[in-house]
Amino acid sequence: MKPMPLMPRTILSCLLLAAAGYAGAAEEGGSVLVVHQTYNVTRVNKDGECKDVRQVLYMTKDGIRIDEFDGTGSSETPSETTLINLKTETVVRIVQEDGARMKITQSFFDRRLRMDEMKNKAEEDIKAHPKGKGRDELERFHRAILAPKKDLRLARDETEAKAFEGARVPATVVTDKEIKDRPAIRAWLNPKVELPYDSAEVLYLLQLTGKGTKFFLEEHKDEFRFLPMEMEMRLPAGGYLHTRVTQVERRPRADVTTSLRQQMGANADFDNDYLVVSAKIEEKPVRVPPVPNTTSATTVDPD
């Protein structure tokens, strides 16, 4: 059976992978939605690299913290942490390097420039490749970052419904007219759990969607507001992502900060808030692409 077009305000919502807080109530009393999930990436580059980890995500309207555990170190210590602070408009990655923690800090503006650079490089690679099967494969590989909003459609597949929170949830799909054998996004969204922030922007800053998909998600903001209990999506860097939620809980913000400080060691990772990084962690330089004369800090929908 073919997916049927979605009616307005159906349960689709973002897939932030990263996901969400209970509608409104998640912010009452300064609480944090804590989501545990598996996170699997296959063929993220042309060498066929794979990634299979578990994540714990902490979310409020102020931002999201993603702790990643790869199983090679202590089960209590993240191998990598990503912080998206919506107040300071910064993205910070904390990584292990030679036994020490290093932080990589970028502004939202720099992060968007990086995504533009990836898109431009993909277009150049395709243009330089001779027409034929090889070029077609290259276009398919880069499709997630190049797909324009106008080529995407919203649909729902009742034949792939799954049970979450005691409710039957159909698969919500974002189809791409140029790649018909696999949707750009397939997600099973929990209608009881909502995202506390702009999911399209966060997904873009996490480099999980291209700009065209970001604009598409913004256009369907009412649908893209729920926690994806399971999700599959095509990635801008090539390959596919699969996530599956294993636990959802809501905890007081003060308790989250206290437990994380105990987990990482006092002031080892952040100061008085789980989104604020301690200055004592050494900063790792990151190359920032040059700013074009016409570039603005605000992305503009080309469609």
Side-chain angles (χ1 to χ4, degrees):
M1 178 183 297
K2 294 183 179 180
M4 298 179 64
L6 274 175
M7 296 300 291
R9 295 185 177 275
T10 24
I11 59 173
L12 180 201
S13 167
C14 185
L15 37 252
L16 204 199
L17 109 285
Y22 287 96
E27 293 300 319
E28 292 180 6
S31 63
V32 177
L33 189 81
V34 183
V35 175
H36 302 250
Q37 68 177 17
T38 58
Y39 183 95
N40 179 268
V41 174
T42 56
R43 193 173 174 261
V44 297
N45 58 30
K46 296 177 184 178
D47 298 322
E49 178 186 347
C50 294
K51 187 176 190 179
D52 188 3
V53 298
R54 66 183 179 88
Q55 294 180 335
V56 182
L57 305 102
Y58 304 86
M59 290 155 286
T60 70
K61 61 181 177 58
D62 296 328
I64 177 173
R65 173 184 177 124
I66 306 173
D67 281 348
E68 191 169 284
F69 303 84
D70 63 10
T72 60
S74 168
S75 61
E76 300 301 320
T77 304
S79 54
E80 183 174 317
T81 293
T82 300
L83 310 175
I84 294 186
N85 192 318
L86 298 172
K87 285 187 172 181
T88 62
E89 295 196 347
T90 54
V91 179
V92 181
R93 288 180 60 232
I94 301 173
V95 298
Q96 297 284 347
E97 194 166 283
D98 297 327
R101 290 193 186 95
M102 302 284 289
K103 64 181 178 182
I104 303 167
T105 304
Q106 290 180 288
S107 68
F108 283 8
F109 181 73
D110 290 341
R111 197 79 167 187
R112 295 181 188 118
L113 284 180
R114 173 56 180 156
M115 292 299 289
D116 285 343
E117 185 184 56
M118 288 174 59
K119 181 177 183 293
N120 293 338
K121 181 63 166 59
E123 290 173 337
E124 290 172 3
D125 288 348
I126 292 171
K127 186 177 181 180
H129 207 86
K131 291 184 178 181
K133 184 176 180 180
R135 182 168 178 170
D136 292 343
E137 291 178 352
L138 194 59
E139 289 178 341
R140 184 182 178 91
F141 180 84
H142 288 301
R143 182 62 183 175
I145 199 168
L146 298 178
K149 180 187 71 175
K150 63 183 177 61
D151 285 354
L152 303 176
R153 297 290 184 273
L154 204 57
R156 180 173 58 191
D157 192 344
E158 296 283 354
T159 67
E160 294 191 26
K162 298 185 180 184
F164 295 110
E165 298 286 325
R168 183 177 180 275
V169 180
T172 298
V173 296
V174 176
T175 59
D176 182 344
K177 77 172 187 178
E178 293 298 323
I179 300 182
K180 303 183 184 303
D181 60 334
R182 189 162 188 175
I185 297 169
R186 180 186 283 113
W188 290 262
L189 299 124
N190 189 333
K192 299 179 181 179
V193 186
E194 294 192 25
L195 297 165
Y197 43 67
D198 182 349
S199 60
E201 178 71 2
V202 171
L203 283 173
Y204 188 67
L205 293 169
L206 285 169
Q207 300 180 349
L208 296 177
T209 67
K211 188 178 290 186
T213 305
K214 172 183 178 293
F215 290 139
F216 180 84
L217 298 180
E218 288 175 340
E219 189 175 86
H220 298 277
K221 187 174 295 187
D222 285 345
E223 289 84 6
F224 286 83
R225 68 182 187 275
F226 299 110
L227 170 66
M229 300 300 290
E230 187 170 351
M231 178 180 67
E232 303 165 357
M233 64 187 301
R234 196 164 57 241
L235 298 175
Y240 296 89
L241 168 69
H242 179 263
T243 66
R244 185 178 179 87
V245 171
T246 58
Q247 183 181 350
V248 180
E249 57 182 326
R250 193 166 64 229
R251 298 168 57 188
R253 187 169 186 142
D255 288 356
V256 167
T257 299
T258 298
S259 65
L260 287 171
R261 288 172 72 91
Q262 292 172 345
Q263 170 184 296
M264 303 303 300
N267 290 321
D269 230 11
F270 52 92
D271 295 322
N272 298 318
D273 185 272
Y274 71 102
L275 292 173
V276 181
V277 184
S278 172
K280 65 177 62 177
I281 301 179
E282 184 178 350
E283 186 78 31
K284 181 177 180 179
V286 59
R287 186 185 71 82
V288 177
V291 181
N293 293 332
T294 57
T295 300
S296 168
T298 303
T299 54
V300 178
D301 185 350
D303 296 330

